[in-house]
Structures are given as structure tokens and as C-alpha cells.
Amino acid sequence: MDMCVRRLLLLCVFFMISVSVCSGACAEVDSDTEAVAGREFKLGCISCKMRLEVEATATVDWHFRAHGQDEFIHIYSYDGQESNIIDERFQDRIKWQGSKSYDLQDASVDLLNVTFNDSGDYQCTFNRILTYQHYEYSTTVNKLVHLTVVAIATRKTASIVSEVMMYVTIIGLQLWLLVEMIYCYRKIAAAGEEALRASAAEYLAIASEGKDNCAGVQVAE
């Protein structure tokens, strides 16, 4: 029965991971890299804290390097409350879609009305301060997105297969957990019934022995 309990615990861990993925818990997923001209595109940028219990604050900066350029240009910043579009080429075309708190982990933005001139490299930078009991620790995390703008969407087969396999795996784990729970429940129930029968037999044996002892005492008298 101990082995059954360990199997259930292991399966529960897998189940919690799959639920976390589906429910939007922090997971560092790479951004899409192909946008369609004239449409809206989400520039993904996620940096999860390793220890969720540690308080933190963060600011985010986005930089852009167009094709043929050598240096990145600062285009956008967000401090947990206010956003600031710095480069006029992106004026009214960047919309914050990340975390809604000072403890930023998702710094994704929507790029509106995409043009072919938006092709290039986008760098997302997290400037995070972790607050411990007696000190603060500063850390910087950079994420790079290489964006290509096309006239017509051409979603890659590998991307479709990867997404389908992810959901198949999640559903498979949940079904496996359900089967194991039913199996272990039946096994534990059977063990409980066996223990109950053993206890009943032991009780009857003790009662019978006590009755025989009483009869022996009466005969002796």
C-alpha cells in the first residue's frame, strides 16, 4: 500500500504541473517570431522568479534593432504602473499585455498595425530587485525576439504538432492519474476489508477463549 501512495503522490505532481500550464501560471514560453503586416502581433517576454515567496519589484525596457542596423534603440518602458513609448515610430502602436503588478514576470506587449519596417530584433530587459530580510539583490534578465513580418500567415507544421502534442500529453497524464487513483482506491479498500475480517476473527477467537475459561472455572467450583 505504501508503493501505491508513492505512485499517487508522483502522479499528483505531474497533474499539478499540467494544471499550472493550462491555468496560466508562470512558464517561460518563447515568443512567436512571425507577424502579418497590417495586423496585431504579441511580442512575448516572460521571466519567472525562481523563488515565488521572495518579494520583488521590477521594471521592463524594450529595445529594437532594425534589419541592417548595428545598435538597439530604446522604444518602450514599463515600471509596474505606467508605460512610456519612447520611439516615435511606435507611438500609439505598443500596448502593454504583461503583469499588472510591481512584481513583473510577464512583460509581453502587443505591437499594433504591424508594418514591414517592424522586422528585426526586439530585446526585452527585466531589471528586478529581490527583497530579502536583511538585504536586496539586483538582477537583470534579457530576452531576444527575432521578428519577421510577412504578407500572409504561414504557420509552421512543427508549431502545430508541438501544440497538439502538449495538450495530448496533459490529457494523457490526467487520464493516467484517474486510472491509478481508481486502482489504488480498490487496493486500499480490499486491504481494509481484509483487515476488518482479520480483526473480527481475532475478536471471535478471544471471545471463544474467554467463554471456555469461564466454563472451566464453573466446573472447578
Side-chain angles (χ1 to χ4, degrees):
M1 191 163 61
D2 290 340
M3 179 63 69
C4 189
V5 172
R6 286 196 292 268
R7 290 168 67 182
L8 274 177
L9 289 174
L10 180 60
L11 286 168
C12 284
V13 171
F14 282 116
F15 178 75
M16 290 172 65
I17 293 174
S18 66
V19 170
S20 296
V21 171
C22 292
S23 61
C26 187
E28 296 192 11
V29 181
D30 291 337
S31 174
D32 288 334
T33 58
E34 184 179 276
V36 179
R39 297 186 184 179
E40 180 178 310
F41 178 78
K42 183 176 182 179
L43 286 167
C45 180
I46 301 175
S47 173
C48 301
K49 290 191 306 182
M50 297 302 294
R51 297 181 60 181
L52 296 178
E53 73 276 10
V54 177
E55 294 185 1
T57 58
T59 60
V60 172
D61 295 288
W62 278 93
H63 294 77
F64 172 62
R65 181 176 61 192
H67 284 314
Q69 301 296 318
D70 296 327
E71 297 182 357
F72 281 93
I73 298 175
H74 195 190
I75 61 172
Y76 179 82
S77 65
Y78 185 78
D79 63 2
Q81 186 175 10
E82 296 183 356
S83 59
N84 182 26
I85 299 176
I86 299 169
D87 193 303
E88 61 180 10
R89 291 174 297 177
F90 295 91
Q91 193 66 40
D92 298 325
R93 294 204 303 123
I94 295 181
K95 182 180 179 181
W96 179 257
Q97 290 294 339
S99 305
K100 305 297 184 181
S101 66
Y102 289 102
D103 185 5
L104 302 176
Q105 298 186 75
D106 184 353
S108 302
V109 296
D110 280 346
L111 185 59
L112 310 178
N113 191 23
V114 174
T115 69
F116 288 102
N117 291 330
D118 294 331
S119 295
D121 296 323
Y122 291 81
Q123 181 174 272
C124 167
T125 303
F126 285 85
N127 301 295
R128 180 174 289 139
I129 299 177
L130 302 171
T131 304
Y132 295 91
Q133 185 174 1
H134 300 295
Y135 68 97
E136 293 182 342
Y137 178 76
S138 298
T139 181
T140 300
V141 177
N142 293 312
K143 301 282 184 174
L144 188 64
V145 179
H146 180 72
L147 181 64
T148 301
V149 179
V150 297
I152 301 176
T154 56
R155 190 178 183 189
K156 296 181 180 178
T157 302
S159 175
I160 299 174
V161 172
S162 177
E163 185 174 339
V164 171
M165 289 302 298
M166 180 187 70
Y167 287 108
V168 168
T169 302
I170 291 172
I171 294 173
L173 286 173
Q174 293 176 350
L175 291 176
W176 185 25
L177 175 61
L178 179 61
V179 171
E180 288 289 341
M181 289 179 66
I182 294 174
Y183 168 76
C184 288
Y185 173 78
R186 290 179 176 177
K187 188 173 181 180
I188 293 171
E193 291 177 0
E194 184 66 27
L196 184 60
R197 285 195 294 268
S199 298
E202 183 179 357
Y203 172 77
L204 291 174
I206 294 173
S208 177
E209 183 180 354
K211 185 177 180 180
D212 292 341
N213 291 337
C214 288
V217 171
Q218 289 176 356
V219 171
E221 291 177 350

